[in-house]
Amino acid sequence: MAWPEGEVMRPEPADRFPVEPLERGRPEADRWAAEPAPLDGELLSSWLNRYAWANAMGPDAFLRGLRPVLGRNVTDPDSAVPARFLEFLARQTGLPVARFTLLQSGAHAWASLGMEMRPAPYFCPGCWRAEPAPYVRWGWRMTPLQICSEHGSWLCRRCPNCRAPLSLLQGVSRRHLWECAACRHDLRRAKALPALPVAILGQGLVHDILDQADAIAREGIGKEAFRVLSDLDAGLNALAVWRGGRPARRWSGDPDWPPSMAPGAPSMTF
């Protein structure tokens, strides 16, 4: 399948990160390589996937090797991990612990406004096609962020080939995060639906509110902000279905997209 017109294939991470043989399928040395380092706004699970790939491992095998520090009861590293785990990563890589703390702190700040984490992240194939080192932003896992403002398109929810949701830490075989864990389809080739201008505007208002999360907390108006975010979320869900007054086709054949909505053509005003 050809790339969309005008887009250039960027070098894959193989061109950026050295791969070193690992003993027994997991890091055994006192100090790991500092690369690939966490990126700004990246999910912890995204970095774990990229680090496993750079060290010639599957994400599941890499995570199993970290279980003694991470703990057996942690099923979702993006939602909560013990402080000792982040400190361990900092010691092993030589990077400041603050770099790893930031992989979760942003999502926690947004959670103070009532935003929840999705079971699986959404993704923007346009972003991944343009990046030399594709990664998953933590915003892609938070509601009500549904649109990539940079590309003006709805974020994708599932693999267009097998309909599986994005999974970053499953699989014993080495794979890029942009490869579907179920069928290995290249998710960078997924087609994202363009969003209407009013939907992009609504998503921009969501970002404006979230950028003021700290100030909102200080002013004690979190409940008011939550109500506004809820209304914007409902409006974005409606716009995902109705385009030009008519129901849009289901997104990527996903039977549960978008969430339930009231009958009748909805409207959204700002």
Side-chain angles (χ1 to χ4, degrees):
M1 182 184 297
W3 293 104
E5 185 177 355
E7 295 199 26
V8 179
M9 182 85 165
R10 295 295 191 271
E12 296 183 355
D15 300 320
R16 293 172 58 88
F17 307 128
V19 175
E20 300 177 359
L22 297 175
E23 185 178 342
R24 299 179 183 175
R26 71 177 189 224
E28 295 285 353
D30 293 337
R31 179 65 62 88
W32 306 345
E35 295 289 348
L39 300 172
D40 291 342
E42 183 174 17
L43 269 176
L44 177 58
S45 59
S46 170
W47 179 81
L48 291 171
N49 177 290
R50 293 194 304 114
Y51 205 91
W53 189 93
N55 286 276
M57 300 173 65
D60 182 72
F62 183 53
L63 195 62
R64 284 202 309 269
L66 299 176
R67 278 296 174 189
V69 181
L70 180 60
R72 299 287 176 181
N73 296 326
V74 175
T75 58
D76 183 1
D78 292 327
S79 60
V81 294
R84 67 174 183 273
F85 180 67
L86 301 182
E87 294 167 356
F88 171 79
L89 295 179
R91 288 196 306 271
Q92 292 299 105
T93 60
L95 297 170
V97 68
R99 292 288 297 275
F100 296 99
T101 302
L102 286 174
L103 299 182
Q104 292 188 315
S105 60
H108 291 168
W110 288 16
S112 67
L113 298 181
M115 294 185 68
E116 298 179 350
M117 299 189 74
R118 301 180 174 111
Y122 294 176
F123 62 94
C124 175
C127 287
W128 284 352
R129 287 193 292 267
E131 293 167 349
Y135 68 102
V136 177
R137 294 97 164 113
W138 48 259
W140 291 354
R141 196 170 173 184
M142 304 295 292
T143 59
L145 293 184
Q146 303 184 41
I147 294 173
C148 174
S149 300
E150 181 177 351
H151 293 95
S153 59
W154 295 96
L155 296 174
C156 299
R157 295 189 69 188
R158 298 175 182 270
C159 171
N161 184 56
C162 71
R163 304 295 186 258
L166 180 64
S167 176
L168 298 174
L169 298 178
Q170 290 183 356
V172 295
S173 299
R174 183 188 185 210
R175 66 177 176 86
H176 294 288
L177 59 79
W178 40 260
E179 291 180 296
C180 176
C183 70
R184 304 301 288 264
H185 182 75
D186 187 340
L187 299 177
R188 297 174 300 174
R189 300 180 183 274
K191 183 178 180 181
L193 287 178
L196 294 173
V198 67
I200 298 173
L201 173 60
Q203 190 72 98
L205 293 175
V206 171
H207 278 289
D208 289 343
I209 294 173
L210 296 175
D211 287 342
Q212 300 299 319
D214 292 338
I216 289 172
R218 289 195 302 270
E219 295 294 329
I221 54 175
K223 291 183 179 180
E224 290 79 0
F226 173 74
R227 284 196 293 269
V228 174
L229 286 172
S230 297
D231 290 342
L232 287 169
D233 189 32
L236 288 172
N237 286 334
L239 288 170
V241 178
W242 292 89
R243 302 171 64 190
R246 295 179 299 172
R249 64 182 177 84
R250 280 180 174 172
W251 172 236
S252 297
D254 185 0
D256 63 352
W257 168 254
S260 59
M261 52 179 289
S267 62
M268 186 175 184
T269 58
F270 302 109

